[in-house]
Amino acid sequence: MKKIFLALALLASFQFAGAQVKSQDAAAAAIAKAQADAQNPKKATKVATWMKLGQTLMDAYNAPAGNGMIGMQKAELKLMMGKVAPTAVENVVLGGQEYVKESYANSDYYYANDVLNMIVVTKPYVENALAQALEAYKQAGLVDAGGKKKADIAAAIEAICNKYVEEAYNAYTLGDLAKASVNFEKAAEASLVEPFAKLDTNSLYNAGFAAWQGGDNDKAIEVFNKCIGYGYYANDGEVFGKLAECTEKSLTAKAEAIADEAAKADAIKAAKAAAKDILEKGFQAYPASQSILIGLINYYVTSGEDTDRLFVLLDGAKKNEPNNASLYYVEGNIRSKLGQEAEAIEAYRKCAEINPAYEFGYIGEGILMYNKAIDVQTKAQEEFDDNKYMVLVKQFEEALKGCIAPFEKAFEISKDNDVKVSIAEYLKNACYRFRDEDASFAEKYEKFKAITENGTL
């Protein structure tokens, strides 16, 4: 989940049974009475009437979940539940995680390592209870002319948002990406209701993300466009990257259905161009975004269009931020992918001129040389002519030695343990090759080997 939702924190929430509701019939009776009061012209002008209706619906929504509370130990829960026993117990694997699933009359409990991790209601007392409760609280806000109950109404709406998010995560865990997307979007829509009115940008993005992951490109496009409309672009402008990908896939799928081959080719070309336009807009706002950058590079390399356009975009970013070393790192990455080795190294070294404490320019140069060595090694393994083979071996060793100095400099100045460990992995591999050639390489090999094995300095 953490990986899939871009490190968004899981909602720390609790699910309780509604103590006031003993049965589905009792819930229906309570709701009917509250609805009758809401339809009474005199009572309908009172905030309390609508708050009561909303709470009654929420009680009915919560009741089928039983007495479980997320995070509770199984042994504790058994004591609380007394004689209530599950109707079925089975081991299941969801998203690579092992669970023990216990089924009850109206809900399923999922335990991971004997801790209640998820409650899924299988037989709700009331259909669309959250939507009905949200409408009740919305009406409460409308009749709260003086705003005396604004905080209470807002808190009630927020609770509904949280429930939609819970349902979305549950659906995702169960593999129902379409349902997850729907509930994330409902959470975002609920968060806009007055008087709460605080857009849940995480849920809005996740609605698009779940649709994207489930292959519903048109739905993802709709939601990601909403994100952009609200000025929310996610980490490093990820919304632009996902929107471009979904746009190209959606338009290409439609193009494939065209019978005329020439028209089909034009439509496919237009699909790629539409995606490119989105990426360029994203690049202007997030020039260091790797997902946007890779998308643009792939487009210009495969389309046959002038790749100089990439540098025009980058130059614009440099003018806006002349002291941003990362922009030269981006340039180095572009030139490296385009096979422009000398220009890439020049760009990487420019990073240190602008900011001597910026390690990624050195890392970029090190990776370029390391990858070059790997490429030459592969060619050497496929070469049967001894003379040509020896030439390639020499080129391989020169490239491999060429990565050591920049990697060592990056290791020296970086203050991030994880980055230093990653650098150490490259240095360990490079120094291993030359450990019998020079004692200094043997010492470095042992040093960096220890770091990679320990995972820390």
Side-chain angles (χ1 to χ4, degrees):
M1 181 71 70
K2 184 175 181 181
K3 179 180 178 182
I4 292 171
F5 285 92
L6 304 178
L8 297 178
L10 288 177
L11 181 69
S13 60
F14 300 96
Q15 292 175 296
F16 298 98
Q20 303 98 321
V21 181
K22 301 301 182 182
S23 69
Q24 188 167 3
D25 289 342
I31 291 171
K33 183 180 183 305
Q35 288 175 334
D37 288 342
Q39 292 168 6
N40 184 306
K42 292 184 178 180
K43 293 183 178 181
T45 61
K46 297 179 180 180
V47 175
T49 299
W50 295 103
M51 293 294 286
K52 177 65 175 177
L53 175 57
Q55 186 58 57
T56 303
L57 285 160
M58 290 303 292
D59 289 343
Y61 170 85
N62 286 317
N67 293 321
M69 184 172 72
I70 300 300
M72 181 176 286
Q73 293 285 338
K74 182 186 287 189
E76 296 176 291
L77 186 55
K78 293 301 181 186
L79 290 174
M80 179 183 291
M81 297 180 72
K83 296 182 180 180
V84 179
T87 57
V89 179
E90 62 178 315
N91 295 320
V92 298
V93 177
L94 303 173
Q97 170 71 53
E98 294 183 359
Y99 294 90
V100 174
K101 173 186 174 183
E102 292 187 349
S103 297
Y104 294 87
N106 300 300
S107 59
D108 293 332
Y109 285 14
Y110 292 81
Y111 296 89
N113 299 318
D114 287 334
V115 175
L116 184 57
N117 191 266
M118 183 171 66
I119 300 174
V120 177
V121 171
T122 54
K123 295 180 181 179
Y125 282 1
V126 179
E127 294 295 333
N128 300 317
L130 290 180
Q132 293 183 63
L134 180 63
E135 183 60 30
Y137 291 130
K138 181 178 180 180
Q139 291 299 319
L142 292 175
V143 300
D144 185 28
K148 294 181 180 179
K149 294 294 182 178
K150 180 178 180 179
D152 292 341
I153 300 170
I157 293 172
E158 184 177 16
I160 290 175
C161 296
N162 290 342
K163 289 299 182 182
Y164 275 129
V165 172
E166 288 175 8
E167 289 201 10
Y169 276 116
N170 288 350
Y172 177 80
T173 302
L174 293 172
D176 192 340
L177 296 175
K179 186 175 181 180
S181 178
V182 167
N183 282 307
F184 275 127
E185 189 170 18
K186 286 182 177 179
E189 290 171 348
S191 72
L192 290 171
V193 174
E194 295 282 359
F196 183 65
K198 298 176 184 176
L199 177 61
D200 181 354
T201 53
N202 282 351
S203 289
L204 185 61
Y205 175 78
N206 282 349
F209 190 95
W212 165 80
Q213 192 176 34
D216 190 346
N217 293 309
D218 290 340
K219 182 60 180 178
I221 290 168
E222 177 189 332
V223 177
F224 288 137
N225 274 319
K226 285 184 180 179
C227 288
I228 291 174
Y230 284 115
Y232 181 71
Y233 311 122
N235 295 336
D236 293 328
E238 188 68 25
V239 167
F240 290 104
K242 290 288 188 296
L243 177 59
E245 180 183 339
C246 293
T247 297
E248 181 175 349
K249 286 182 177 179
S250 177
L251 293 177
T252 298
K254 293 178 175 66
E256 292 291 351
I258 299 174
D260 182 81
E261 291 299 324
K264 179 190 293 187
D266 288 342
I268 292 174
K269 184 177 180 180
K272 295 181 180 298
K276 181 260 296 184
D277 290 342
I278 294 169
L279 290 170
E280 287 198 355
K281 290 179 182 177
F283 186 84
Q284 290 172 8
Y286 296 91
S289 169
Q290 288 302 298
S291 63
I292 294 174
L293 178 62
I294 290 171
L296 281 172
I297 291 172
N298 289 339
Y299 172 80
Y300 281 104
V301 170
T302 60
S303 68
E305 291 188 25
D306 189 356
T307 54
D308 284 347
R309 173 63 179 162
L310 287 168
F311 302 110
V312 171
L313 292 169
L314 194 56
D315 286 344
K318 289 177 183 177
K319 289 178 181 177
N320 292 331
E321 297 180 86
N323 296 319
N324 187 343
S326 68
L327 296 177
Y328 287 90
Y329 173 67
V330 169
E331 180 184 350
N333 289 343
I334 294 173
R335 294 192 181 280
S336 177
K337 289 182 180 296
L338 293 176
Q340 301 172 3
E341 179 183 315
E343 294 86 345
I345 291 175
E346 182 181 354
Y348 287 137
R349 291 179 179 177
K350 185 69 176 179
C351 293
E353 292 180 25
I354 294 174
N355 182 1
Y358 184 76
E359 66 265 49
F360 290 98
Y362 293 111
I363 291 173
E365 182 179 350
I367 290 175
L368 186 154
M369 297 306 295
Y370 187 90
N371 288 341
K372 179 181 179 180
I374 297 300
D375 289 342
V376 175
Q377 182 184 47
T378 300
K379 291 179 182 178
Q381 291 171 344
E382 298 171 351
E383 181 56 64
F384 295 102
D385 184 291
D386 288 343
N387 292 329
K388 292 180 179 178
Y389 171 79
M390 293 308 299
V391 170
L392 289 170
V393 168
K394 183 178 180 181
Q395 291 175 358
F396 160 71
E397 292 182 341
E398 288 175 350
L400 194 61
K401 281 185 178 179
C403 82
I404 294 175
F407 273 139
E408 285 184 320
K409 187 62 178 180
F411 185 88
E412 175 190 333
I413 64 178
S414 179
K415 295 180 174 59
D416 187 303
N417 180 78
D418 291 340
V419 171
K420 292 175 85 74
V421 171
S422 297
I423 296 169
E425 182 69 34
Y426 281 106
L427 284 167
K428 178 197 75 174
N429 295 338
C431 292
Y432 178 82
R433 170 73 182 190
F434 307 109
R435 70 193 188 285
D436 296 328
E437 177 182 310
D438 190 304
S440 64
F441 286 116
E443 292 176 6
K444 291 176 182 179
Y445 167 72
E446 294 298 334
K447 170 186 173 181
F448 295 119
K449 176 185 176 184
I451 292 172
T452 58
E453 289 177 350
N454 296 330
T456 187
L457 306 183

